[in-house]
Amino acid sequence: MPRPFAVIGFSALLSLTFLFFLPEWFVYPVLGLAAVGFVVSLLLHKKGQSTAVPAAFASIALASLLLLAQLAVRYYPVLQAAGEELDIRARIVSNAEQRYGRYYYQLRTISVNGEAKQLKLRLSSPYALEAEPYDEVSYNGAIYRLGQDDPNLTTAYKAKGVYLGSYAQSYGEDRFTVTSGGFHIMKPILLAQRAIARNLDYTYSDDVAGLLRGMLLGNTNGLTWAAQQDFSQIGVIHLFSVSGLHMTLLAWSFFRLLCALKCKRKLAAPLSMGFILFFMALTGFTASCVRAGVMTAIMLAGELFTRRADTLNSLGFAALVLLLFSPLSAGQVGLSLSFAATLGIILFSKRFASPMKKRCKALPKLPRKLLLAVIESLSLTASVLVLTVPIQLLRMTNGVSLIVLPANLLIIPFASVVMIVGGVSAMLPEALRNALAFLIEPLGQLLLKGAHLMADLPAPVLRGNAASLAIPIAVCAAIAAAALVRRYAGKPVPLRYTAGTISAVMLLAGWLPGLITGRQTHITQLETGAGKSVLVSRGRKAALLGCGGDQLPAGAAKRALSEIGARELELLLIPGSDEGAAELQRDMPIQVILEDDGVTPFALWDGTDGIFYKNGDDAACLLRTEREVVLIQFSGEIPKEWQEVKRLGYGG
């Protein structure tokens, strides 16, 4: 078996990714089938044959056992603390994260109710603690399950390995007791992270500082919601998921800088590995960053032993290292996209570029070099999209715009320059930092503006989910299986043809349904837990009607808007006292806001209009679409003249 880690790592990764989204009891039959397959493959194995099949079955069985162990030891026992009020003594293991007017900290408990016990908690506080990383904090706190009202958030927290949130039960400035925790090896790294963020904030405008923090540290808190939607819709949101792109640019730039300074390659390689470890710690050891770091370290190790590393084997080894420590991390969408992008480059990039390069040999030198550079960029981007687009259709609700290919070609090189120079500036003295800001500030603004303009282009958007894409995925699996059968029969089909066919199937499956349904008006009641909030949409156009109790559910509204690819509201209807409406007005353009008393007609788009009624505490809306008439009662009494109107097709 020439690539043992590739077989073992990818078998474990694929099995754990599927098991993460299946009912948890499903792991037992998978474990049993993998064990039987391993035994049978060993019995049927003949001398000289590849051991890839037994190794794959063994890795699936091992992955299933690791998943069961993590669920039994580190998941279910932790969830038992949810709903309790506990005396907590814990160590702060992160810098403060400011969001939604609150401060959030990652904690590791030292003791709970006086007993030694280790839990990971996400502490929510209305004010910043006067504490440094790795100081100790004591308080009486309530424990709750993170994302308990949103299944998508629950899944995301489960994959990250942080399952519980906490807040102090008492009130006042003395609710937390903070004591010095002394030195810890991670403390200077977190202080460096804070210093980089502070330097960026002091040097650049809010927009550009948020952009640089997102690209360098993976912290998107400083980016407006609208800006995040711009980058997401044009398919370059991976700029803010620290992974292969960042590691390649930063680690290899550091290695080449050392070599340029006359440092021997065998010394530059371990120094660069140390930089990789520092950078992984700086970004919080996120799964995608660890994957990229392990792979890059293996490549650099080749400089020590004067031997070129096998990229496919290295990628499989990186998967194995990650999953041994945290099998549930296979559920992270960023990790799936990171592995898929890297695998796509390894498998397809050279194959896509080779036929085009052969046709350039007869060209003069300068045009040939320019054309080869374009071909390299095109083949690299296309190879990434082959495997990442299906994952984005399944996992990312806002779909994939067909602008993604030109967007990656134009945005990524430009963003790379901004990221590297901006990152260097964050570590320089103030005078030099301000000098570089004259270059980076306008470039950062141009990058934000370019993303916004590209997101505004009327490109078709691919959308999908596990249910709608089940048949296309089965067809693609059959195509891939047929290609493998032909390969082992000695009649291989060129890999680029197989990849192109699979991409075409996913393209049509993701585009055609959205093209049909995007022309109709849809009414969706948002899950807010209180009150009523209704999203009316057609394609990328959207209107938000109503509130969730006393506070408009801005978070739920933003998630729903992301799913349909909308970045602005045609109409915001406010029937009550809505403290959270200010957040929506701050984060996105809104064409019309209705909140006055009386009877007010409004128009959305062709075939969809309505009447808003508000009289003191009474509020209701009569909405007409091309297919139905809907009566939405927010509070109080329905107007008498409306009481006979039947609600059609709306169960909320």
Side-chain angles (χ1 to χ4, degrees):
M1 189 168 56
R3 289 169 169 161
F5 289 117
V7 173
I8 296 169
F10 286 124
S11 298
L13 178 62
L14 287 172
S15 58
L16 285 173
T17 302
F18 281 109
L19 287 172
F20 184 87
F21 297 100
L22 293 171
E24 290 171 2
W25 58 264
F26 209 85
V27 68
Y28 294 102
V30 169
L31 175 60
L33 290 172
V36 171
F38 175 69
V39 173
V40 171
S41 62
L42 282 182
L43 293 175
L44 298 177
H45 184 265
K46 295 180 181 179
K47 188 176 181 180
Q49 282 186 335
S50 172
T51 56
V53 174
F57 279 123
S59 64
I60 293 172
L62 175 62
S64 302
L65 288 172
L66 289 172
L67 179 59
L68 287 173
Q70 183 170 11
L71 290 173
V73 176
R74 293 161 56 187
Y75 184 63
Y76 292 122
V78 170
L79 292 184
Q80 292 177 2
E84 296 187 13
E85 296 177 13
L86 306 171
D87 290 322
I88 296 168
R89 179 169 164 252
R91 185 173 285 110
I92 301 170
V93 295
S94 74
N95 286 311
E97 176 186 339
Q98 188 175 3
R99 186 176 293 185
Y100 312 127
R102 298 185 69 84
Y103 295 83
Y104 297 92
Y105 299 84
Q106 300 293 330
L107 305 181
R108 276 201 186 92
T109 61
I110 300 170
S111 64
V112 176
N113 285 347
E115 298 181 6
K117 192 172 185 179
Q118 287 195 352
L119 297 174
K120 289 182 181 179
L121 297 177
R122 185 172 184 254
L123 174 65
S124 171
S125 170
Y127 60 87
L129 303 182
E130 294 184 4
E132 297 290 332
Y134 286 87
D135 283 354
E136 294 180 9
V137 59
S138 301
Y139 65 100
N140 178 261
I143 308 294
Y144 60 94
R145 183 175 179 178
L146 287 171
Q148 57 190 1
D149 297 324
D150 188 329
N152 291 328
L153 285 178
T154 301
T155 299
Y157 284 120
K158 182 179 179 182
K160 289 180 180 178
V162 181
Y163 319 124
L164 297 178
S166 177
Y167 58 88
Q169 284 289 92
S170 56
Y171 295 92
E173 295 294 320
D174 59 347
R175 71 184 77 179
F176 299 104
T177 302
V178 178
T179 57
S180 175
F183 177 79
H184 189 279
I185 192 170
M186 282 295 295
K187 184 171 182 176
I189 293 174
L190 289 174
L191 292 177
Q193 183 190 80
R194 183 193 296 178
I196 290 172
R198 184 181 61 246
N199 288 344
L200 293 174
D201 288 340
Y202 287 164
T203 308
Y204 300 98
S205 64
D206 291 345
D207 290 341
V208 175
L211 176 71
L212 289 171
R213 283 206 309 274
M215 290 195 293
L216 291 167
L217 304 174
N219 180 357
T220 58
N221 290 343
L223 275 175
T224 65
W225 178 84
Q228 293 182 52
Q229 294 307 300
D230 289 338
F231 285 99
S232 178
Q233 286 185 18
I234 64 175
V236 294
I237 193 67
H238 55 84
L239 278 173
F240 310 112
S241 175
V242 182
S243 58
L245 171 67
H246 305 71
M247 196 62 71
T248 300
L249 287 171
L250 299 176
W252 284 105
S253 296
F254 184 79
F255 175 74
R256 292 188 182 99
L257 175 63
L258 292 176
C259 292
L261 295 173
K262 306 301 182 182
C263 180
K264 293 183 179 180
R265 296 177 76 87
K266 289 196 175 183
L267 177 60
L271 289 176
S272 300
M273 291 179 191
F275 173 79
I276 288 170
L277 184 61
F278 168 77
F279 188 66
M280 287 193 294
L282 195 66
T283 57
F285 290 104
T286 60
S288 55
C289 188
V290 171
R291 190 279 307 160
V294 171
M295 273 203 71
T296 309
I298 292 172
M299 298 299 177
L300 286 168
E303 299 290 337
L304 293 174
F305 304 106
T306 62
R307 186 177 177 183
R308 193 177 183 86
D310 183 286
T311 51
L312 200 58
N313 218 34
S314 302
L315 186 60
F317 180 77
L320 189 61
V321 169
L322 272 171
L323 299 175
L324 281 174
F325 287 99
S326 180
L328 285 173
S329 65
Q332 294 185 30
V333 63
L335 181 68
S336 299
L337 290 172
S338 178
F339 273 100
T342 308
L343 183 60
I345 292 171
I346 294 170
L347 292 179
F348 305 123
S349 183
K350 290 183 178 179
R351 289 178 171 88
F352 286 167
S354 180
M356 293 183 284
K357 285 182 176 180
K358 290 178 181 178
R359 299 179 183 181
C360 299
K361 289 183 177 179
L363 295 174
K365 185 176 181 180
L366 183 58
R368 185 174 71 250
K369 283 188 174 182
L370 292 174
L371 190 56
L372 287 176
V374 174
I375 290 171
E376 286 285 352
S377 297
L378 279 170
S379 61
L380 191 68
T381 304
S383 61
V384 167
L385 298 179
V386 169
L387 296 181
T388 56
V389 166
I391 294 174
Q392 287 178 284
L393 288 173
L394 286 167
R395 302 287 309 277
M396 301 181 73
T397 53
N398 58 350
V400 183
S401 171
L402 292 189
I403 201 72
V404 63
L405 183 59
N408 274 269
L409 290 172
L410 295 173
I411 293 288
I412 297 301
F414 191 62
S416 300
V417 174
V418 174
M419 178 172 65
I420 291 176
V421 182
V424 170
S425 75
M427 295 179 283
L428 293 176
E430 184 177 358
L432 292 174
R433 195 164 64 242
N434 290 334
L436 283 176
F438 283 104
L439 171 66
I440 297 301
E441 178 68 30
L443 290 180
Q445 294 289 355
L446 187 60
L447 181 59
L448 290 165
K449 184 65 175 177
H452 181 74
L453 291 174
M454 296 189 81
D456 273 342
L457 294 175
V461 177
L462 309 181
R463 304 191 190 282
N465 53 57
S468 65
L469 293 176
I471 294 177
I473 288 173
V475 171
C476 292
I479 293 170
L484 286 173
V485 169
R486 287 185 62 88
R487 180 180 180 85
Y488 286 109
K491 301 176 181 179
V493 178
L495 191 57
R496 60 181 178 274
Y497 294 160
T498 305
T501 305
I502 289 174
S503 300
V505 171
M506 295 301 296
L507 181 76
L508 293 173
W511 179 56
L512 288 178
L515 183 65
I516 296 170
T517 59
R519 296 176 179 176
Q520 300 175 343
T521 298
H522 297 273
I523 301 174
T524 307
Q525 180 172 339
L526 304 184
E527 296 294 335
T528 62
K532 192 180 265 89
S533 186
V534 176
L535 182 69
V536 185
S537 62
R538 178 192 286 180
R540 292 189 181 185
K541 296 181 177 180
L544 184 63
L545 313 178
C547 61
D550 293 330
Q551 184 175 2
L552 189 137
K558 289 176 183 177
R559 287 193 294 274
L561 290 167
S562 294
E563 291 179 5
I564 63 174
R567 292 176 294 117
E568 64 179 26
L569 286 173
E570 307 284 321
L571 170 73
L572 173 61
L573 188 149
I574 307 176
S577 174
D578 301 298
E579 301 170 4
E583 182 178 339
L584 289 178
Q585 295 178 57
R586 183 182 65 247
D587 285 350
M588 69 185 70
I590 303 172
Q591 294 187 15
V592 178
I593 298 176
L594 289 183
E595 55 182 331
D596 297 332
D597 286 355
V599 178
T600 309
F602 60 86
L604 294 177
W605 41 79
D606 292 343
T608 303
D609 52 25
I611 301 172
F612 174 42
Y613 164 80
K614 183 178 179 184
N615 182 16
D617 294 332
D618 299 344
C621 176
L622 189 64
L623 181 67
R624 180 182 66 84
T625 74
E626 65 269 22
R627 296 175 296 168
E628 58 197 2
V629 176
V630 176
L631 178 59
I632 306 168
Q633 180 181 1
F634 298 110
S635 59
E637 297 294 330
I638 300 175
K640 292 182 179 179
E641 60 270 26
W642 291 3
Q643 288 180 2
E644 300 301 319
V645 177
K646 296 182 179 179
R647 292 190 297 165
L648 305 175
Y650 176 64

